Structures are given as structure tokens and as C-alpha cells.
Amino acid sequence: MRENHPSTNSEDDHRSSLLDLARAEITESSNSKSRTCGGFPGPGSGSGPSEPQAPFPDQVLENVLENVLHFLSSRRDRNAASLVCRSWYRAEALTRSELFIGNCYALSPTRVTARFTRVNSVTVKGKPRFADFDLMPPNWGAHFAPWASALAQAYPWLEKLHLKRMIVTDADLALVADSFSGFRELILVCCDGFGTPGLAAVAGKCRLLRVLELVESVVEAEDDEEVDWISCFPESQTNMESLVFDCVECPINFQALESLVARSPRLKKLRLNGFVSMAQLYRLLHRAPQLTHLGTGSFSATEAGAVVDQEPDYAAAFEACKSLVCLSGFREIWADYLPAIYPVCANLTSLNLSYAHVNADQLKSVIRHCHKLQIFWVLDSIRDEGLQAVAATCKDLRELRVFPVDAREGTDGPVSEVGFEAISQGCRKLESILFFCQRMTNAAVVAMSKNCPDLVVFRLCIIGRYRPDPVTQEPMDEGFGAIVMNCKKLTRLAVSGLLTDRAFEYIGRYGKLVRTLSVAFAGDTDTGLKYVLEGCPNLQKLEIRDSPFGDGALRSGLHHYYNMRFLWMSTCKLTRQACQEVAQALPNMVLEVINVNSEENAGDVEILYMYRSLDGPRDDAPRIVTILH
Amino acid sequence: MVFEETELRLGLGLGLPGNEAELGLRKRGFSETQTETTTVDLMLNLSPKESAAADGPDPRDNTNTSPKEKTLLLPDPAKPPAKAQVVGWPPVRSFRKNMFAAQKSSEEESEKSSPNASFVKVSMDGAPYLRKVDLKMYKSYPELSDALGKMFSSFTIGNCESQGFKDFMNESKLMDLLNSSDYVPTYEDRDGDWMLVGDVPWEMFVESCKRLRIMKGKEAIGLAPRAVEKCKNRS
């Protein structure tokens, strides 16, 4: 499970880092003659008023600067520093070691490697979030391959690679494994395109590997290609600190895994996939009682014992793990085994039961021990009753996610405004909530806005589209309005239910810090979107689907689009003509029009995906994507 | 080892041959979007296009509805219950959508009286994880033994593969088998007794079987007296 602390979510830039890079590029090319700006005279030039004439004052300054800049880690600070003057720009470029690319198509890999020469850590993000829900054609893009080859050439000392929503192939992973001898960390989040052969290459060749995390990525067995990658790790002691493979849908060689764990004394994070049984987990816990983060695998038995023979003392095994603070997994949970985790509950700060069908009683038996819990992910099978139990015990809760077991639109569900309000009453420190339900009232949402003023992330998904408040029959405008009004730190918002333009008026007026906004089946007219585009200066990521916003609304954001990571609008009322106009008005924006169902040159636009780019449109777009310029 | 039917592991073994592929995971590479979101009850008369293949949202769908129409949409009794799925809605990732299917199949397994399916867990000594089978899918012991053979193909089940289980009625052959190190299928019946598979008529077996375990012949020897006893009682 991703541990996004809400207030430092790296997804949301405070400022547009790419904009700063762009400005810096322009500054560099226009100042080609002077080496510095400011008041230091160069050797041989006219003297300044009262400066001492040191031999190479510029050089001294640059050395000092480089040394100072080494300590600057925040990329926003670095972006600011790079804008001061050319000298600072160069010094910053020489000293930046961590690279963050929020949109892989915003610039070309060669531009990156030309500017930054001493990078040892790279993060690249690809597809927009709506691609997770099958709204993007599967071959749309975000291929890691061109980045892989550029990075392999430019940074042979690369240590860390973090990719999100990219297509990564086995060949890419093999290239990574071959190219970076000091490679230490590979984190793949929501990626696909690779399988066990790629993992085997990394495990086998990256002898210094410390971190291998596969998070919500699609890794499946493809017939003959399945490889026993766990056996590929070096046979001597490893440096492994974190091994996360809970999303890998392939059986695992348990003996090899056990041996790997046994020879990895620094292992702290281990998240197993559903092919690891309870009995196997038991053995692993004995090998690694020092674990701090554990994904339990299936948490069920594999052998249907004829006699109930001595089942190992699972609770004792858990109890021996004194450092355990984060628990997840439970992929095929046998509820009878739940008591095994009681001994560690008191220390847990993070618990993810979102794959486990536990009912209210089962949950209560666990949650009543979890006084320190800060992060809790769960299925709505626990019902309002379960939520009330959470509210009663978890006074320190910061992040709650409640996922639906049955994601179909219905009238009643197991959780509702009752549990929601209980949470708001009991968990006053709440900062982040994601809540799926079939019904919600404005009153409950207003209550949360008042009880939980620290909310930074508020994502409410009423599964039934266009649902009004079931008690008052009113739209949900007032509830969401209260959230933006009262939660002054709010940066991420997702809305649902029946919403009129008024809801957007509230967002535009009060949501001044909102950076990410997610809208679906909402609003009445263009005015709604206008409120938001005109009112929210920090908006970075705007994703809208199935809402009646059209060309007029699109035009109202022209002043702001270049500051954003992206704009997504699908099944709205945009015309191709208007998109063309925007493309012409904003030459540095790339407008991708994707029409899956209709003709290539249809007047209507099914999907508009728009983002800024320093290097123009990409050249790997599939036929289904039309790039306007 | 190569285990092919990984779909069963995810609880998708609904017993219908076609469904396994449909409900399967997204393949890597560039294959078409899976249809998991649009498989059921596509009779919403919002727009016929909504029920088309899961390629993308229909542009003519909601964009023309006026605000007033929207409030009438859901409570309208003329529409069937809103069980149809819209692509990508609600915004849960596909592995979470499969949770419902997984729960369904585990519920079905615990309701033995379900007329449509009779799921039992199958374990094999030495195999790392369980399978589930729907006994109602098979009509005879040879069919079941075939299926088990495929499921645990890396292991030999010995005589069972070729001959089915009927040889257990023959006492001496039974003893031979149990003395070998081949695998022997056993099951737990409603009384909680562990029996050798094959000693009761098929229908009776389906009704009474709660769980299957494929164990080594040597370990099954303990069951032999009971099996032989029940044989004798019947003849």
C-alpha cells in the first residue's frame, strides 16, 4: 500500500516545476554573452563601485554555490534557484541529483539528460489517473523504453528509479539491470507490460539492490514465460530492505523466498502475494522478526488437514515481531486466523484490510486494540457498525479509505451517512478520506467539514450517479460547499452525487488551495467549469468526465492551462473546433483528442487530454489519438 | 511449476467455461480493454451505446440531458434497476471490481444447498495453494479425475488419472494403491469423516462432499478400514 502522507503528496506540485524549467531555458539562451548577472565584474572588465578585485570572483561564487546547492533537496526550491541567473542555473543543474518528471510527455529525455548531468534518482509518471479505470485506450502510450535508453546512456551510476503508470517491458527492465551497476531501488506503481522475466533480470544483476517494490502493477503469468525470479537474487547475503510483490499474480517459489528472507538481515518491508499461505507466512515471520511493514499474503490455509493437527501458534509468531507497524495483505482471508494479529494491533499505525471480507464483528475484534492507528483501508463489508467501532477507538486516525465490495449502482449499501458521520465525530484529526457509498446526506458531509478541519484530501464517491440527498432530495452542493469552505488546507477533492453549478461556484470561491479536482456526472452548464478555472489558482490536475461542460468553459481557462500538469475532459460537450482554437492560441500546449467510438474527424470530442510540453507533440501516438496544433 | 488455472485462485471459478476468460485480468501489452465492467444486464434505456463493448464512453450519452432530466433518471420506474455498468464507474480499479466476484464464489461455497454450484476446496499435499472446484460441473468420477489431473498436472495422481476411482470397490486393488506412494484423492463428508473418493455413487458424493484432499497413498492408509467398512456395508 502506498504510504502517501497527504500533506506532502508528491503528485501535487505546489508550483509548476516545468514552467520554471521552461523559463530557465529561455533565460539561458538569451543571456549567452554574460556569464553572470549581478554586480560582480569579471576580470578585465570595468570595475564596479567598491568591490575588491579578487582573481576569479565568479569562480569562487560558483564553487560556493555548488556546495550550498548540494544541500538543497526540495525540487521547488531548486527550480527557484535555477531562475536567479545563468550561473545559478548551471550550478543547480550540476548539483541536482533527484529528478522528478510529472508527465513523461512534457519534455524529451534528451532535454533532461542534456541539462542535468549528475542525477542518481529518477521519477517518471506517465498516464493520467483515469487510465486506471479503462477510460484510456490500452495502447495510448507512456512507454518507458525511450527513457530507459536515454537514462542508461547518461547516468550509468543511477541508483533509483520510480515509475508510475508507465508501460515497462521486460526488455526495459533488462536494460536497467544491465546498465546501472550501482542500482539500488526500483519502484513500479500502476505499471504494466512486464512479467517475471524482467523481475528476474533485476534480481539477478543488480547485486546492490535494496528496494524492489511492485505496487498495484499488473504482473501476470504468460504461459511459457514464467520465470522463478525469486531464485535469481544473489546467493550471498543481500542488501534487501524492502521487497513488495503483493500484486504479482504468479505462484512463487517458497523455498527460494524463505532462503532469500533468511539471508537478508536488513529486510524491513515484506509484502507477499496471495500465493503465500498462512503456514508459509509463519515460517517467514520466524526468519524476519525485525520486519516493520508486512503484507501477509493469502492469510489462509492451503492444506485441508484431515485432523486438525497442531496448527502453529500464529499469534506467537506475530507477537515476536516487535517492530511491526504496518500490516496489509489478507488476500484470501480465513477469518478464523484473525486473532493471530491481535498481539501487534496495539503498535500498528497502518492497517490495510481492503482485500478482506470481514464483517462488523470480526472487525471489532481487531480494531479495538488499534489505538495508534493512523492509516486504515477497509472494505464496506464492515458496515456502519464497523465504522462506528473505528471511530470509537482510532482517535489518531489520519487517513481512511472505504472501498466497495459490490461496485454496482444500487439503492442501499452497507455504509452510509451514519458511519460517515460517526467517523467525523470520532476521528477529529482526519486528513484524508476516500469513501465509497450508495447514499450520503449533506448533513453528514457538513458535519465532517466542521469536525475535521485538517482535511487535505476529500474524495467522496456516491456510486449511484446523480443521486440527491436521500433525506432532503436536494443536490449535494451544500455538503461539498461546506468542505471547501471549512477545510482550509484542502488540496485534493473528488465530488459525486447530484451536483449543480452551485457546487462549482463554491469550489471556485473557496477552494483556493485545491490542486487536484475530480468531477464525474456533475454540473449543469459551462458556468460551473468557469467558476473553477477562474477561481482556483493552484489547480494542477483537473479530470472531468460525463459532465455538460463545453467550448465556452474550455476557453475560460486559457490563462491557466500552462500552469497545470494536465486537463482531462471526456464525454463532455467539447467540439473539435474549439480544441483546435485552443491549440492555436497556446502553442506550448499539446491537445490530444481521442475518439474511440466515432470517426477520426468527428466534430464531437470524446476525450480531450491536454498538457504542456517543451518539445512539442509526441511521435508515438497511436492512430486513435489526434494531436491538435 | 506452471499452474494454468490461476483464475480459480482469484475466486473466479464460477464454473462456466466462458466466464473465466472474460473475468480475467488485463493482459499485458496492447490487448483490448477487458469487458469486466459491461457484462451484465445491459438494458438501461439511457443509451443503447452504453452497452456496447468497453471501448470508451459514448459521446451521445449524458451530454444531451438537461439538468431537469437528470433528476428523473434514476427513480424512473420504467427503467430496470440500475445494475448496468458504465465504463470506468465507479472509479475502482479492476482488481477491486473482482472482489465482488470473489466474495460471491466463497459465499456459494459455504451454501451447499445452492442449486447452481457446489464449490469445494481442493488441496494437494505438497502443492502451495488451494483450488476450488464446482462439483456440479462434472457428471462422473472420471470427469472429476480428469479435471483434477489437469489442475495439479505437475504432480502425478497415479492410477486415478487413467482409471477413475471405481477401482476402490475392489479391495485388493485398493490395498495396492494405498501401499504405493502415488497420490490418492480423499474427501471430507458431511459427517466430518474422511473417505476415499469413489466409494459412493456419484450423486451421493456430490451431495456429501465438503472438501477434497489429494494425499499420498501412504497417508491414506488410515482411511482404508473405513472405506472398506463402508464398502462392505453396502454390498
Side-chain angles (χ1 to χ4, degrees):
Chain A
M1 158 179 142
R2 289 170 269 176
E3 294 130 295
N4 284 333
H5 186 64
S7 56
T8 58
N9 192 330
S10 64
E11 282 192 27
D12 303 320
D13 294 347
H14 176 61
R15 295 190 55 199
S16 49
S17 56
L18 197 57
L19 174 65
D20 303 332
L21 291 184
R23 287 206 202 113
E25 296 288 312
I26 297 165
T27 309
E28 180 181 4
S29 56
S30 68
N31 287 352
S32 51
K33 280 198 178 165
S34 60
R35 285 178 60 236
T36 62
C37 48
F40 292 95
S45 64
S47 59
S50 49
E51 250 74 48
Q53 292 283 336
F56 296 105
D58 308 324
Q59 195 58 54
V60 169
L61 176 65
E62 277 199 31
N63 288 345
V64 168
L65 199 55
E66 279 183 36
N67 282 308
V68 169
L69 284 180
H70 271 297
F71 294 100
L72 214 57
S73 52
S74 150
R75 65 177 187 267
R76 288 170 207 142
D77 291 343
R78 287 189 152 270
N79 293 343
S82 72
L83 293 177
V84 170
C85 63
R86 255 184 109 238
S87 177
W88 283 52
Y89 174 92
R90 271 180 305 145
E92 193 282 313
L94 284 174
T95 55
R96 187 182 296 224
S97 59
E98 291 175 10
L99 213 54
F100 175 85
I101 311 288
N103 175 2
C104 64
Y105 287 126
L107 75 176
S108 68
T110 42
R111 179 184 290 267
V112 172
T113 55
R115 175 173 170 183
F116 300 105
T117 52
R118 298 188 192 161
V119 166
N120 61 24
S121 164
V122 175
T123 300
V124 188
K125 298 189 179 182
K127 303 180 209 181
R129 197 180 71 99
F130 271 5
D132 290 352
F133 315 123
D134 301 328
L135 291 180
M136 202 79 142
N139 58 345
W140 171 81
H143 301 282
F144 179 58
W147 288 92
S149 39
L151 297 175
Q153 293 227 326
Y155 310 131
W157 50 79
L158 192 75
E159 292 177 0
K160 175 176 170 181
L161 197 55
H162 181 157
L163 304 177
K164 184 168 184 179
R165 291 200 188 94
M166 305 272 308
I167 298 197
V168 182
T169 63
D170 288 330
D172 296 335
L173 291 178
L175 182 62
V176 167
D178 283 330
S179 309
F180 308 122
S181 53
F183 197 67
R184 292 191 184 166
E185 286 188 28
L186 180 66
I187 302 178
L188 301 177
V189 180
C190 301
C191 294
D192 66 317
F194 65 98
T196 48
L199 298 177
V202 172
K205 296 194 181 164
C206 304
R207 312 305 270 182
L208 300 181
L209 196 67
R210 288 195 211 153
V211 172
L212 177 59
E213 294 185 3
L214 308 167
V215 180
E216 291 184 28
S217 294
V218 181
V219 188
E220 296 164 352
E222 286 252 352
D223 303 331
D224 315 317
E225 288 176 24
E226 204 177 318
V227 173
D228 178 6
W229 59 283
I230 290 279
S231 296
C232 296
F233 281 92
E235 283 172 12
S236 55
Q237 258 200 9
T238 77
N239 295 318
M240 290 301 286
E241 295 170 12
S242 172
L243 179 62
V244 173
F245 63 96
D246 48 348
C247 62
V248 174
E249 298 287 354
C250 307
I252 212 90
N253 178 341
F254 180 70
Q255 272 168 337
L257 176 63
E258 187 175 4
S259 160
L260 174 64
V261 170
R263 65 185 193 276
S264 304
R266 300 208 187 101
L267 197 66
K268 292 282 194 284
K269 273 172 84 165
L270 180 64
R271 296 206 171 117
L272 308 165
N273 69 5
F275 288 89
V276 177
S277 71
M278 195 68 183
Q280 290 169 335
L281 172 65
Y282 178 80
R283 297 177 66 91
L284 293 175
L285 289 179
H286 275 289
R287 299 288 190 175
Q290 77 280 6
L291 289 175
T292 57
H293 296 64
L294 174 69
T296 65
S298 69
F299 210 72
S300 74
T302 58
E303 279 127 48
V307 191
V308 177
D309 32 16
Q310 320 87 337
E311 284 230 273
D313 188 351
Y314 296 128
F318 273 92
E319 190 164 14
C321 300
K322 305 279 183 205
S323 314
L324 216 49
V325 292
C326 175
L327 208 52
S328 60
F330 309 102
R331 297 270 175 156
E332 303 262 333
I333 190 172
W334 280 21
D336 292 344
Y337 286 147
L338 263 181
I341 68 169
Y342 293 168
V344 296
C345 285
N347 286 332
L348 286 183
T349 54
S350 173
L351 177 60
N352 181 353
L353 291 174
S354 66
Y355 292 96
H357 295 275
V358 291
N359 60 31
D361 287 330
Q362 290 160 346
L363 175 73
K364 283 182 190 176
S365 72
V366 169
I367 210 76
R368 62 196 174 92
H369 303 287
C370 301
H371 298 278
K372 289 194 189 165
L373 210 58
Q374 295 185 10
I375 299 176
F376 185 49
W377 293 18
V378 73
L379 287 175
D380 64 4
S381 54
I382 64 167
R383 314 190 68 86
D384 283 330
E385 194 187 333
L387 291 173
Q388 286 162 335
V390 173
T393 316
C394 306
K395 297 303 178 189
D396 218 14
L397 199 67
R398 311 296 163 108
E399 176 178 324
L400 175 67
R401 298 197 192 191
V402 180
F403 294 96
V405 169
D406 183 354
R408 301 174 301 179
E409 300 185 43
T411 41
D412 274 314
V415 295
S416 69
E417 70 272 12
V418 172
F420 190 82
E421 190 157 356
I423 290 287
S424 79
Q425 294 281 355
C427 308
R428 299 298 176 108
K429 298 188 191 171
L430 205 60
E431 294 171 2
S432 170
I433 184 163
L434 169 62
F435 196 87
F436 286 86
C437 56
Q438 297 286 354
R439 55 175 278 153
M440 184 55 59
T441 60
N442 279 310
V445 179
V446 171
M448 181 165 285
S449 77
K450 294 183 177 159
N451 291 334
C452 305
D454 292 337
L455 278 173
V456 175
V457 174
F458 185 82
R459 300 159 69 190
L460 175 62
C461 182
I462 303 167
I463 297 175
R465 295 162 291 151
Y466 311 115
R467 282 277 163 80
D469 180 326
V471 171
T472 64
Q473 297 307 318
E474 307 235 308
M476 295 300 296
D477 300 338
E478 298 306 311
F480 286 101
I483 291 288
V484 285
M485 250 191 276
N486 298 331
C487 302
K488 311 257 194 279
K489 305 180 191 173
L490 197 76
T491 59
R492 182 169 180 183
L493 179 65
V495 300
S496 60
L498 180 66
L499 293 169
T500 71
D501 285 346
R502 186 150 183 78
F504 298 97
E505 189 184 349
Y506 284 132
I507 297 172
R509 191 184 309 167
Y510 298 107
K512 295 305 179 187
L513 295 185
V514 171
R515 300 202 291 256
T516 304
L517 179 62
S518 196
V519 176
F521 305 99
D524 299 321
T525 70
D526 281 0
T527 314
L529 183 53
K530 279 187 196 174
Y531 282 131
V532 169
L533 289 170
E534 288 165 5
C536 300
N538 283 299
L539 200 57
Q540 292 284 300
K541 298 192 261 189
L542 181 54
E543 46 188 35
I544 305 175
R545 65 165 294 182
D546 294 274
S547 299
F549 305 132
D551 301 339
L554 185 67
R555 289 190 198 104
S556 67
L558 286 174
H559 66 287
H560 186 64
Y561 292 138
Y562 198 68
N563 294 334
M564 293 174 63
R565 177 81 63 82
F566 69 82
L567 169 70
W568 168 292
M569 289 179 69
S570 61
T571 319
C572 297
K573 285 175 136 180
L574 298 174
T575 65
R576 200 191 162 100
Q577 166 115 9
C579 293
Q580 190 75 60
E581 286 168 20
V582 170
Q584 272 155 2
L586 300 176
N588 289 323
M589 299 299 295
V590 171
L591 279 82
E592 297 195 10
V593 170
I594 306 165
N595 277 11
V596 182
N597 284 330
S598 37
E599 311 278 311
E600 273 187 41
N601 285 319
D604 287 339
V605 167
E606 280 179 40
I607 302 174
L608 170 68
Y609 180 53
M610 173 164 74
Y611 52 89
R612 61 196 178 190
S613 172
L614 287 176
D615 290 312
R618 57 189 177 116
D619 56 10
D620 64 352
R623 212 175 41 82
I624 212 175
V625 171
T626 309
I627 299 187
L628 301 177
H629 49 128
Chain B
M1 336 164 182
V2 177
F3 291 90
E4 294 162 5
E5 285 81 4
T6 53
E7 288 88 347
L8 282 175
R9 177 66 183 157
L10 302 173
L12 296 176
L14 297 175
L16 307 170
N19 276 6
E20 283 184 14
E22 278 179 20
L23 290 173
L25 306 162
R26 275 178 55 189
K27 296 273 193 198
R28 356 180 214 128
F30 306 120
S31 56
E32 285 302 308
T33 317
Q34 292 299 305
T35 58
E36 72 249 10
T37 54
T38 56
T39 48
V40 194
D41 278 337
L42 302 170
M43 292 184 304
L44 254 200
N45 46 7
L46 273 175
S47 160
K49 290 266 173 20
E50 217 167 37
S51 60
D55 288 330
D58 180 51
R60 285 163 282 280
D61 182 13
N62 288 306
T63 55
N64 291 327
T65 56
S66 69
K68 274 198 195 151
E69 272 183 49
K70 267 182 249 173
T71 56
L72 292 176
L73 276 176
L74 278 171
D76 186 342
K79 298 200 197 328
K83 294 289 190 190
Q85 304 264 38
V86 173
V87 172
W89 184 261
V92 285
R93 303 194 65 222
S94 48
F95 56 80
R96 292 206 178 276
K97 283 211 159 117
N98 291 338
M99 303 271 353
F100 180 64
Q103 188 196 31
K104 265 289 169 192
S105 70
S106 64
E107 276 174 7
E108 281 161 3
E109 190 227 320
S110 55
E111 294 165 15
K112 284 296 172 293
S113 51
S114 158
N116 297 320
S118 178
F119 280 98
V120 297
K121 289 190 169 135
V122 186
S123 66
M124 181 161 185
D125 287 359
Y129 53 92
L130 291 180
R131 302 283 195 181
K132 284 182 187 170
V133 278
D134 175 8
L135 292 178
K136 298 245 164 101
M137 271 195 71
Y138 311 102
K139 306 214 176 37
S140 65
Y141 283 117
E143 275 186 37
L144 175 63
S145 117
D146 242 18
L148 291 179
K150 288 200 187 97
M151 231 180 264
F152 295 100
S153 54
S154 306
F155 303 88
T156 54
I157 307 190
N159 289 337
C160 305
E161 268 182 321
S162 44
Q163 296 160 19
F165 309 139
K166 51 188 185 300
D167 279 1
F168 292 161
M169 298 303 277
N170 180 325
E171 194 176 319
S172 60
K173 275 203 177 171
L174 181 67
M175 286 308 168
D176 284 343
L177 182 62
L178 293 176
N179 284 326
S180 74
S181 61
D182 285 341
Y183 284 89
V184 167
T186 65
Y187 72 99
E188 183 183 8
D189 71 3
R190 285 186 181 271
D191 304 329
D193 294 327
W194 283 87
M195 317 282 293
L196 292 173
V197 171
D199 59 351
V200 298
W202 173 256
E203 288 76 17
M204 197 183 301
F205 166 71
V206 172
E207 287 307 310
S208 63
C209 171
K210 273 185 8 189
R211 187 182 288 183
L212 278 164
R213 176 178 168 190
I214 303 172
M215 54 167 75
K216 290 216 177 226
K218 293 188 199 121
E219 289 183 24
I221 283 182
L223 302 180
R226 242 180 289 151
V228 171
E229 201 47 47
K230 285 199 173 178
C231 282
K232 286 183 180 154
N233 288 343
R234 245 168 253 119
S235 52

